[in-house]
């Protein structure tokens, strides 16, 4: 397993730090995260009760998902390794009057300190940016209570996802900043399934997320060829 702080690519952190100032701008660089947020919150809420749950949001960035979860009455901690988005998250959380604990901390380090503490761990749009996703997932597993829930979101790797998630989303439709995703780092659900099993996590569901450029809307779908959400349970 990667040691406490080595599972990070500084160039990846810089990509997000550079755009941090407009994290909450509804039509800015992170418009796509704002647009998919109701879908992913709905996906989580359909599977767990968030009120009073201890929730950890890994790779929380500026806090779009973190705040939505906190609004449902959960006690939320958000962690990220980039200082700029975390600062944005802290200040936006204060303005929103939400009591969220934001920490600059690696998943692996937190797993040393808070093993078995969380009912729910969310880790969305992060795994395709880390050098060793297995290490991140091992740490997520360790952070969960027995029978705790893990929610992931990532991008599949195949010719269709290359065309839609990279060529179209970054260069034609400008849905996300250019260079956001490296094709080689995208993750096939079968690879993810293997990593989850190795981390004592049992997959309960995989659901796709698709974008319609005409209506400019996202929706959940059975097809996980491009973007997808995963629900897994910490098994024994
Ligand atoms: N999860 C949030 C933000 C996704 S953007 C959401 O979906 O709304 C990806 C985030 O991962 C960025 O904030 C970036 O700083 C963070 N990140 C990248 N590499 C990381 C690492 N190795 N450990 C923790 N966070 C990381």
């Amino acid at each position: 397993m990667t040691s406490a702080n080595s599972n990070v690519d500084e160039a990846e952190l810089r990509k997000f730090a550079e755009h941090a100032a407009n994290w909450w701008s509804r039509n800015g660089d992170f418009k796509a995260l704002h647009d998919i947020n109701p879908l992913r919150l709905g996906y989580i809420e359909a599977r767990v009760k968030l009120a009073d749950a201890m929730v950890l949001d890994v790779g929380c960035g500026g806090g779009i998902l973190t705040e939505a979860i906190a609004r449902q009455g959960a006690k939320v901690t958000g962690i990220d390794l980039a200082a700029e988005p975390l600062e944005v998250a802290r200040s936006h959380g204060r303005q929103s009057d939400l009591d969220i604990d934001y920490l600059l901390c690696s998943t692996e380090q937190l797993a040393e300190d808070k093993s078995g503490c969380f009912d729910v761990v969310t880790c969305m749009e992060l795994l395709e940016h880390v050098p060793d996703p297995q290490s991140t997932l091992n740490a997520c597993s360790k952070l969960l209570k027995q029978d705790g829930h893990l929610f992931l979101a990532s991008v599949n790797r195949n010719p269709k996802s290359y065309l839609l998630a990279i060529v179209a989303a970054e260069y034609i439709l400008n849905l996300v900043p250019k260079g956001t995703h490296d094709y080689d780092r995208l993750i096939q659900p079968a690879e993810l399934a293997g990593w989850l099993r190795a981390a004592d996590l049992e997959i309960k569901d995989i659901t796709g997320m698709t974008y319609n450029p005409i209506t400019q809307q996202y929706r959940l779908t059975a097809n996980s060829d491009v973007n997808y959400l995963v629900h897994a349970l910490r098994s024994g």
Side-chain angles (χ1 to χ4, degrees), residues 178-194:
K178 294 180 180 54
T180 297
H181 288 117
D182 292 341
Y183 180 73
D184 293 343
R185 283 216 163 131
L186 302 183
I187 298 170
Q188 295 180 344
E191 289 168 327
L192 184 56

Side-chain angles (χ1 to χ4, degrees), residues 71-92:
R71 285 209 169 81
Q72 306 311 311
K75 175 86 194 81
V76 191
T77 303
I79 61 169
D80 203 286
L81 279 176
E84 292 84 349
L86 262 187
E87 211 30 69
V88 170
R90 284 193 187 107
S91 117
H92 198 275

Side-chain angles (χ1 to χ4, degrees), residues 2-228:
T2 311
S3 70
N5 277 307
S6 62
N7 188 15
V8 60
D9 181 335
E10 295 292 335
E12 290 290 321
L13 292 187
R14 273 197 300 279
K15 282 186 200 173
F16 294 98
E18 271 170 18
H19 300 279
N22 74 17
W23 207 286
W24 281 91
S25 150
R26 197 57 192 75
N27 290 309
D29 291 320
F30 298 101
K31 179 181 187 320
L33 293 180
H34 287 280
D35 287 345
I36 62 173
N37 212 40
L39 286 181
R40 49 195 194 169
L41 180 67
Y43 182 82
I44 296 169
E45 283 192 294
R47 288 165 176 82
V48 292
K49 184 172 140 312
L50 286 175
D52 299 324
M54 294 287 290
V55 179
L56 172 69
D57 188 20
V58 172
C60 62
I64 296 171
L65 179 66
T66 336
E67 285 202 10
I69 292 172
R71 285 209 169 81
Q72 306 311 311
K75 175 86 194 81
V76 191
T77 303
I79 61 169
D80 203 286
L81 279 176
E84 292 84 349
L86 262 187
E87 211 30 69
V88 170
R90 284 193 187 107
S91 117
H92 198 275
R94 274 193 299 271
Q95 285 165 33
S96 310
D97 227 358
L98 290 167
D99 185 16
I100 298 169
D101 205 7
Y102 284 113
L103 308 170
L104 184 81
C105 176
S106 73
T107 327
E108 289 84 352
Q109 181 58 54
L110 196 72
E112 296 294 315
D113 305 337
K114 298 258 180 200
S115 171
C117 283
F118 294 95
D119 300 297
V120 176
V121 173
T122 55
C123 177
M124 299 214 171
E125 317 300 341
L126 168 70
L127 288 177
E128 66 275 16
H129 301 285
V130 304
D132 183 354
Q134 179 74 74
S135 170
T136 303
L137 291 171
N138 289 345
C140 289
S141 179
K142 194 171 167 189
L143 284 154
L144 281 170
K145 294 179 185 171
Q146 190 67 40
D147 298 323
H149 300 259
L150 176 65
F151 292 95
L152 305 168
S154 193
V155 187
N156 205 336
R157 190 181 72 255
N158 54 50
K160 179 176 167 186
S161 73
Y162 176 71
L163 279 177
L164 295 184
I166 298 185
V167 178
E170 295 184 10
Y171 295 90
I172 300 173
L173 302 171
N174 295 320
L175 300 177
V176 295
K178 294 180 180 54
T180 297
H181 288 117
D182 292 341
Y183 180 73
D184 293 343
R185 283 216 163 131
L186 302 183
I187 298 170
Q188 295 180 344
E191 289 168 327
L192 184 56
W195 296 332
L196 289 170
R197 268 195 302 278
D200 288 330
L201 291 156
E202 181 197 339
I203 295 195
K204 301 302 277 181
D205 179 75
I206 301 185
T207 290
M209 237 180 334
T210 186
Y211 179 72
N212 180 336
I214 312 285
T215 61
Q216 300 186 11
Q217 285 188 336
Y218 292 84
R219 63 180 172 81
L220 299 183
T221 158
N223 185 324
S224 52
D225 284 354
V226 187
N227 294 87
Y228 60 92

